[in-house]
Structures are given as structure tokens and as C-alpha cells.
Amino acid sequence: MVSGTFSRSASARLTPRSVSSPRVSAHRKWWVAPGPSFSFLAVIFCLASVLLVVGCVIYLYAFRYPTRGRLVAGFYDESDVCDVFDGSWVPDSSYPLYNGTECPFAERGFNCLANGRQDKNYLKWRWKPRHCDIPKFDAHEILERLRGKRVVFVGDSMSRTQWESLICMLMTGVQDPNTVYEVNGNKISKTIRFLGVKFQTFNLSVEFFRSVFLVQQGLPPTNGPRRIHMTLKLDKMDEINQRWIDSDVLIFNSGHWWTPSKLFDVGCYFQVGGVLKLGKSISSAFRMALDTWATWVETMVNTNRTHVFFRTFEPSHWSGLNQKACEVTEQPLAVAKANDRSEFADILAEVVANTTVPVTILNVTLMGASRSDAHIGTWSHPSSILDCSHWCLPGVPDAWNELVFSYLLTNGWKQIGR
């Protein structure tokens, strides 16, 4: 596979991403006296000043301070934009959207009911935006819309969970389950770098590529310090990146592996241009890796065809002095509390704000912050593993997919439906 080095130019960094939103024009009639007067000129001057101030505020909000705006996938109606990530979980007896035990692609480790969980209350919650409603997920309609298409997930095990969730959601609209299969006959495994499921009747592929850092991992330079066992090449994309390109929906995530325990403690350090960067912080390295990713999207992905999403960090609910205790609650928390690593969301927002092509951020962090009831906990496979990071299936990842396809239904089917 081809791997390249990407460096973003200064001009690219300073180019604000255009915000594609509908414009509503209004025609107004201005009644003006026949001759100019001092009072009339004063009114015009005041109006111009007000317009200038408003324009400056809009500019600062939309371009100079993009963190909030860039984290919002807007759902447009005739008059307003709804922040679908500003909301709460509401009880809904019609959920879950599928039976995990009946879905052959729901990994045993995520199927809490199959692993002995008795209560089912965690399955009966629906995400409700504060100021709007999202369309009900209709598997039949989505399958028709995705006929002949390719949906690709790239990231870590959280991405694999969302991939499994989508497949199970779509299978509720399939008449013959035997027409849905893994293309290489593989069982779902966390160690396989590629998993692809084909919906034969619809000529639809839903694929997962394991790339926990998105950038390339490699051997350390010759004569490097002994403590270095591997490096992350922050200026080079993962060597399998070519396989992500020709897709119609492309969903990324990264973040859970950007920790000292998964980097420095196992001898993995950063490298740029063949040079070790031993003093570089994790947050600085994460930003550089995302800059490399953003340049790759700008130069390699045809965004006229491909809808690109990036999902934010999913919160965990570990507790105790060493963050090793995992207490799964029976109900969502009344007050959201979780380890959300908000600095990663800020970095992502800034990088995406400076891309020259459309990228939609799925700001799911707050959505999961109250769902301490929906983690795997002790209902893992094998049962000796305690897990307050990953989610049960069915569960929270289903809501992520509902938002993706609600967004496409509202904003994006014009291209993907072709």
C-alpha cells in the first residue's frame, strides 16, 4: 500500500472552512425622503455601524472561535439550526432497535445480555435533542439509500463497536440474513485490521479498518535509545490509507490510545521526518497527527462523493483513586460526569475548522457522559475483564449511527443518493 508524508501549508491552516447552510433572503422596502438631510444621514450611519458590529460578531463566532460551531452537525429546517448534540436521554419503550443475540455481527464481548446482565433498563433510552427531533431510524429506507454504496469506519475498538451497531441496525431491514456476510469469512475479532460485511441484495459494503492512531506505526531509528521499541510517524498516514478512499461515507475516530500507558509505558515514542521527538507531549503529537489526517482528507478524498465524519472522544466512567473501579449504575446519571478528555475535542475542532473541505464532527462526548448505566462492566467476555470504557450492544453506539444517518437524510442525501 502507498503511504505518503503530508505537511499542511500555512495558507491551509489559515483558510477558514466555509459553512454550508441555507440562506433565506428577505426583500424589504425602504421609504426614503426626497432629499438628504442630516437626520437621514445620521440614521444611515447608525445602521451601517450596527451592521458592521453584527458582522464582526458573526465572523468571530463562526471563524475565529470555531470550537462550538465546528462540533455541531446542523440539522436545518426552514428557519433555524438545531444542535443535535445538545439534548438528553429520554425513556422509550420501543427501543432497542435490534436484538443483539439475533445479530451474528454483534461481538460476544459487547453483548451484555448474552453475558449475563439481567436488567434491561439500559436498553430503553433514546437520545432527544433539546430543540428538535431526529428522524426515526428506518432500516429499509437507509438500505435503499445505500444501495451500491460503501460505508467505511476507521479507528479503534470504539469504531468497531459503531460498525457492529450499524450492521445490526441495518439487518432488521433484510429479508434473508444469509445474504449478509463477512467478505473473508472472518469472525469478528479485535485483532484483525480489516473486517468487511456485504449486504448482497443491496450491493452494500460496510467496512472497518483498525487504525488506532490513524498515522503510521514503525520501528525505531537505528542506534536509538533502548527504551524505544516503536515509533509513531506523525507526518505519515497509516500505510493502509489507500483502502479508505473510494467510500461514500467515511467515519473516523481516535483518542483512546493516545495515553502514556499505551505509548511511553510500552516504549512507543514520536517521530517526524525520520527524527525522534522525545520531548513532544501527547496533546501536541495528537494535533500533529490530526493535521496530517486533515491534509490527507484534503488531498486524497473526493468530498463531492464522500461524506467525511470524525467522532469525538467517548467518555469512560472509571472511578476510584487509580481509576480502576467500574460501577455500572441502573439508570443514567442525573448530572453528567465522566472522563471526557475535552482537550482532544478542542484540538479536533481547531483542525477541522482549518480544513478546506467539508468534514462533520460527531460530538458524542456529552451524549455518553451520563450513561454510566450502559457500559459493559462485569458482563464482558471473558468475564474476568472489567470494562467501564466500552458500551453494551444494543446501546449508546446505536444513537451515534442514528445521528449520522439523520444528518445525511437532512443534509447529504443529495450526493449520496445518486
Side-chain angles (χ1 to χ4, degrees):
M1 294 300 173
V2 179
S3 176
T5 300
F6 298 91
S7 60
R8 308 191 76 195
S9 65
S11 61
R13 283 196 178 92
L14 296 174
T15 304
R17 173 188 160 201
S18 61
V19 181
S20 57
S21 61
R23 298 287 186 266
V24 179
S25 61
H27 300 282
R28 298 188 178 183
K29 296 182 179 179
W30 292 90
W31 294 95
V32 184
S37 66
F38 177 78
S39 299
F40 173 73
L41 293 176
V43 170
I44 294 298
F45 177 78
C46 291
L47 288 173
S49 300
V50 170
L51 289 173
L52 179 62
V53 170
V54 171
C56 290
V57 170
I58 292 173
Y59 170 77
L60 289 172
Y61 180 83
F63 297 106
R64 296 295 299 277
Y65 304 108
T67 301
R68 173 176 167 78
R70 303 302 176 183
L71 292 178
V72 174
F75 278 34
Y76 300 104
D77 59 24
E78 292 182 355
S79 60
D80 204 354
V81 179
C82 174
D83 178 356
V84 296
F85 305 107
D86 176 21
S88 61
W89 295 92
V90 297
D92 191 325
S93 60
S94 69
Y95 278 63
L97 296 173
Y98 57 90
N99 185 328
T101 304
E102 295 177 356
C103 179
F105 301 99
E107 192 173 334
R108 176 66 186 271
F110 300 146
N111 191 344
C112 297
L113 291 180
N115 295 330
R117 184 165 183 173
Q118 297 297 315
D119 73 287
K120 298 182 180 180
N121 291 335
Y122 73 97
L123 298 170
K124 302 296 183 180
W125 295 90
R126 171 175 58 86
W127 179 254
K128 170 66 173 70
R130 192 179 308 277
H131 300 296
C132 62
D133 288 306
I134 58 176
K136 183 78 172 180
F137 188 88
D138 185 334
H140 296 92
E141 179 182 7
I142 301 299
L143 283 168
E144 285 296 338
R145 296 277 195 171
L146 290 175
R147 186 179 289 275
K149 305 299 183 183
R150 182 171 176 244
V151 179
V152 172
F153 293 86
V154 180
D156 53 30
S157 56
M158 293 293 185
S159 184
R160 190 176 77 252
T161 310
Q162 187 178 4
W163 171 76
E164 293 178 26
S165 162
L166 177 61
I167 294 170
C168 292
M169 291 167 72
L170 292 175
M171 283 199 69
T172 63
V174 173
Q175 290 185 347
D176 183 1
N178 293 321
T179 61
V180 183
Y181 55 88
E182 206 287 321
V183 294
N184 294 316
N186 291 319
K187 292 184 177 180
I188 309 301
S189 168
K190 64 182 180 180
T191 59
I192 298 178
R193 291 212 71 186
F194 168 74
L195 291 163
V197 168
K198 186 80 170 181
F199 288 75
Q200 186 176 37
T201 304
F202 299 90
N203 190 26
L204 163 65
S205 295
V206 184
E207 304 170 16
F208 166 71
F209 291 89
R210 186 176 185 269
S211 180
V212 298
F213 297 109
L214 302 183
V215 292
Q216 191 176 128
Q217 295 176 260
L219 297 174
T222 307
N223 301 322
R226 287 187 176 182
R227 71 177 186 274
I228 302 177
H229 301 148
M230 68 185 77
T231 63
L232 276 188
K233 299 179 181 180
L234 301 176
D235 57 341
K236 292 181 180 291
M237 286 294 287
D238 192 318
E239 62 272 10
I240 62 174
N241 70 82
Q242 291 286 320
R243 300 178 67 185
W244 313 337
I245 294 174
D246 294 322
S247 54
D248 297 282
V249 180
L250 182 55
I251 304 173
F252 292 93
N253 95 297
S254 187
H256 285 270
W257 284 66
W258 292 86
T259 64
S261 63
K262 294 185 181 293
L263 289 168
F264 306 145
D265 294 355
V266 295
C268 184
Y269 288 81
F270 306 124
Q271 183 177 349
V272 179
V275 179
L276 286 171
K277 300 293 182 180
L278 299 181
K280 182 173 284 294
S281 68
I282 290 177
S283 59
S284 174
F286 182 72
R287 180 184 294 274
M288 183 171 289
L290 283 191
D291 276 333
T292 299
W293 164 82
T295 302
W296 176 85
V297 172
E298 291 172 340
T299 56
M300 302 296 290
V301 177
N302 176 12
T303 52
N304 288 324
R305 169 191 173 183
T306 305
H307 294 261
V308 181
F309 296 86
F310 202 113
R311 198 179 68 253
T312 59
F313 191 85
E314 306 85 359
S316 62
H317 289 87
W318 296 97
S319 58
L321 293 177
N322 298 318
Q323 293 291 295
K324 292 184 178 180
C326 176
E327 298 181 7
V328 177
T329 60
E330 293 186 3
Q331 299 287 332
L333 297 173
V335 178
K337 182 181 180 182
N339 175 16
D340 61 6
R341 303 195 71 178
S342 58
E343 72 277 11
F344 280 14
D346 293 339
I347 292 170
L348 175 60
E350 292 167 9
V351 170
V352 168
N354 290 325
T355 59
T356 58
V357 296
V359 174
T360 301
I361 296 181
L362 298 171
N363 187 22
V364 303
T365 305
L366 182 61
M367 292 176 62
S370 62
R371 294 305 307 274
S372 58
D373 62 316
H375 287 296
I376 292 173
T378 58
W379 301 285
S380 57
H381 184 76
S383 58
S384 59
I385 300 174
L386 192 63
D387 193 342
C388 253
S389 295
H390 295 89
W391 308 98
C392 297
L393 287 181
V396 171
D398 304 335
W400 305 342
N401 286 321
E402 285 187 278
L403 290 180
V404 167
F405 288 94
S406 294
Y407 176 84
L408 291 174
L409 280 168
T410 308
N411 298 309
W413 285 120
K414 197 172 291 185
Q415 291 122 320
I416 201 172
R418 285 192 296 213

